[in-house]
Amino acid sequence: MTEITPARSVAYEVIRGTFEDGAFTDVAFRAAADGAGLEGRERAQAQRLTYGAVQRRGTSDATIGELSGRPAVRLDPPVRTALRLGLYELLYSDGAADHATVDQTVELGRRGGSPQAAGMINAVMRRAQRERGELLTKDRDDHDPAAAARAHSAPRWLANLWWEEQGSDRARSLLAASNRASERGLRVNTMRAEPSVMAERLRRAGVTVEAADGSYPLAPPELLIAEGRLAGALEAIERGDVTPQSRGSAAVVEVLDPQPGEAILDLCAGPGVKTGQMAERMEGRGEIISVEPDEARAGEIAAAAERLGVRSVSIFEVDAAELTLGRDFDRVLVDAPCSDLGALASRPDARWRKSPKQIKRLAELQQRILRNAVARVRPGGVIVYATCTISHAENEANIAALLAEAGGDLPPLTVDDLGALSPGLASASDSRFLQILPDRDGTTGFFIVRLRRDG
């Protein structure tokens, strides 16, 4: 019998956990890889296979149906998982000989399924090997939403949504970008080191980094972009000398522009990345109230603040839409819970967890939080609304609904012209808004609006 490699065993386990038990892929992978003692290249291979097979589920399932004559959903879960992993490795990954991939896939299916399943898996994999060119050609066809959903392995509803709201060319481009490797940024804790000094330390530790500022609109000077492996940065991350963060995420706090000595309300703070960025920007002077209803995520904020060495952060475990305080704030950040459609590249299973119904529920929650933010900011103060998604209902429609109430049920509001600040990132629907796009800008997609309370 073929011996299964540790990397494939871990990938198989995590893929099953993701689609059969609802586990989050990144969390499940860390647990499985740690349990198997995977390190270095072996761990990197396991992660590549796991994340790739989860992302490519849609394309693989379509291929399984064609080559087996049965819809993937009708196969036993262990068999389906073996084929998802094997087809991803055969068609979209390199580094292993075809015969090894086929043999390992058959053995995974045999162990998890039945003796009869092994023959079917072998037949599907052998046919995929023979017809690889035709299959890959078909998987490059994205002429309409249905074809694009298969080609880029996305839910059909998402292809339809972006086709309608972004146009066909942008929709294709966004779907393709969701399968590329995500950007890896490192924000330097400027209360401990200058960015150039930290960059040199990281290089000496074997991490390839370069400054993001000057090459990208709204990238703060403390942000470094890393290439290759980040193993040499782990100690710096654990010490709080640097924090992983994308340029798109960092741009949100750049737009907020917190100042030392101010009172800031972070209404949707977990897990605390932007809270830490604000505290560092304020040099530890002033006050930040971070709101996070989930106990575990509130704990992450506290741990991050401790790691960064900031003492200006207070955490309230309460619903952001219900928070009431007998005071107001200079600036309020609403980094709202959203559908995360701008972050699909960094979260392999995210696309399979979203739905139009979820977007509708989130938009309603976001509106409630926004209204509360207006009530919490002082006259003349600033509100920044941001989501890491690309969805009209969660973005433009929410701001339109808020502005319709401004000056009536809500205090009057002015929209700052962020497009004038950064024309290259201006939203196509309203140039006063920013819409950072993963395909065009190479980072997490963020929608950002800045409002000022007039009275």
Side-chain angles (χ1 to χ4, degrees):
M1 295 178 67
T2 301
E3 182 179 356
I4 305 299
T5 65
R8 288 188 182 90
S9 292
V10 165
Y12 179 77
E13 174 188 341
V14 177
I15 297 164
R16 289 199 66 179
T18 297
F19 294 120
E20 295 175 41
D21 303 325
F24 289 97
T25 302
D26 56 346
V27 176
F29 175 79
R30 286 194 295 271
D34 289 346
L38 298 191
E39 296 180 352
R41 292 179 181 274
E42 197 169 46
R43 189 183 183 104
Q45 182 195 18
Q47 181 170 328
R48 175 173 53 82
L49 291 174
T50 302
Y51 284 26
V54 170
Q55 282 183 324
R56 278 288 176 183
R57 187 196 83 176
T59 311
S60 296
D61 282 5
T63 302
I64 290 169
E66 290 181 8
L67 300 186
S68 71
R70 281 179 282 177
V73 70
R74 292 179 55 187
L75 298 179
D76 290 339
V79 174
R80 186 168 59 233
T81 297
L83 284 171
R84 284 171 173 170
L85 175 57
L87 288 172
Y88 169 75
E89 186 171 15
L90 184 69
L91 299 176
Y92 299 103
S93 181
D94 53 19
D98 286 357
H99 69 85
T101 298
V102 172
D103 290 348
Q104 296 263 307
T105 302
V106 171
E107 186 59 29
L108 281 170
R110 187 198 315 276
R111 293 184 184 182
S114 64
Q116 293 81 4
M120 186 273 284
I121 293 171
N122 184 62
V124 169
M125 292 296 293
R126 296 291 182 189
R127 185 176 170 190
Q129 185 181 3
R130 293 193 305 271
E131 300 177 16
R132 178 169 19 212
E134 296 173 32
L135 292 170
L136 292 176
T137 297
K138 181 176 292 187
D139 290 346
R140 286 191 288 268
D141 174 15
D142 57 3
H143 70 280
D144 64 17
R150 170 182 173 144
H152 303 296
S153 190
R156 174 68 180 274
W157 69 264
L158 177 56
N160 288 337
L161 176 74
W162 279 348
W163 225 264
E164 178 182 350
E165 295 185 355
Q166 303 292 324
S168 58
D169 289 344
R170 176 63 69 194
R172 292 187 188 96
S173 185
L174 285 170
L175 290 167
S178 70
N179 294 315
R180 298 184 193 125
S182 59
E183 175 188 71
R184 289 182 291 181
L186 295 171
R187 189 189 76 241
V188 177
N189 185 345
T190 51
M191 295 191 298
R192 294 183 179 169
E194 290 292 325
S196 59
V197 173
M198 183 57 64
E200 187 55 36
R201 290 179 189 171
L202 290 170
R203 293 185 188 112
R204 289 200 299 267
V207 184
T208 302
V209 294
E210 63 177 2
D213 64 312
S215 61
Y216 183 77
L218 295 180
E222 64 268 25
L223 196 69
L224 306 173
I225 303 301
E227 297 289 341
R229 297 180 61 197
L230 289 181
L234 294 181
E235 287 188 11
I237 293 171
E238 292 172 357
R239 289 194 306 265
D241 294 341
V242 296
T243 299
Q245 186 175 20
S246 72
R247 290 175 293 155
S249 170
V252 175
V253 174
E254 285 294 289
V255 170
L256 183 69
D257 194 26
Q259 299 297 311
E262 290 185 329
I264 310 291
L265 178 61
D266 188 355
L267 264 180
C268 309
V273 173
K274 296 182 184 67
T275 298
Q277 185 184 0
M278 289 188 288
E280 292 166 10
R281 183 62 58 87
M282 295 164 68
E283 302 170 356
R285 292 182 283 136
E287 179 185 17
I288 300 174
I289 301 294
S290 294
V291 178
E292 173 53 55
D294 183 80
E295 181 179 0
R297 285 171 69 85
E300 292 178 11
I301 300 170
E306 180 69 23
R307 191 166 56 248
L308 297 175
V310 297
R311 302 288 181 265
S312 55
V313 176
S314 300
I315 303 167
F316 284 46
E317 291 184 32
V318 64
D319 186 335
E322 304 295 336
L323 175 73
T324 57
L325 293 170
R327 55 175 297 189
D328 51 24
F329 293 84
D330 298 299
R331 300 175 197 266
V332 179
L333 174 59
V334 180
D335 181 24
C338 68
S339 58
D340 304 318
L341 300 181
L344 297 181
S346 61
R347 302 168 188 173
D349 52 334
R351 68 192 70 190
W352 310 120
R353 297 182 183 277
K354 311 303 177 182
S355 71
K357 288 183 179 179
Q358 184 192 47
I359 288 177
K360 183 176 184 297
R361 290 195 301 269
L362 284 166
E364 292 169 353
L365 172 62
Q366 291 154 357
Q367 289 177 29
R368 292 172 54 218
I369 295 172
L370 261 172
R371 292 187 182 93
N372 199 28
V374 174
R376 306 277 79 82
V377 71
R378 66 168 174 79
V382 169
I383 302 166
V384 166
Y385 176 74
T387 70
C388 62
T389 197
I390 306 166
S391 155
H392 180 81
E394 298 174 80
N395 295 339
E396 292 88 351
N398 269 336
I399 298 302
L402 184 75
L403 295 176
E405 297 183 39
D409 293 340
L410 295 175
L413 299 167
T414 298
V415 181
D416 282 353
D417 187 357
L418 297 180
L421 176 67
S422 187
L425 302 180
S427 168
S429 62
D430 189 322
S431 63
R432 299 173 299 172
F433 310 156
L434 299 184
Q435 179 65 75
I436 300 172
L437 296 167
D439 61 320
R440 181 192 66 197
D441 303 315
T443 189
T444 310
F446 266 89
F447 176 81
I448 311 172
V449 177
R450 188 168 66 198
L451 307 163
R452 295 183 185 271
R453 177 175 169 178
D454 295 332

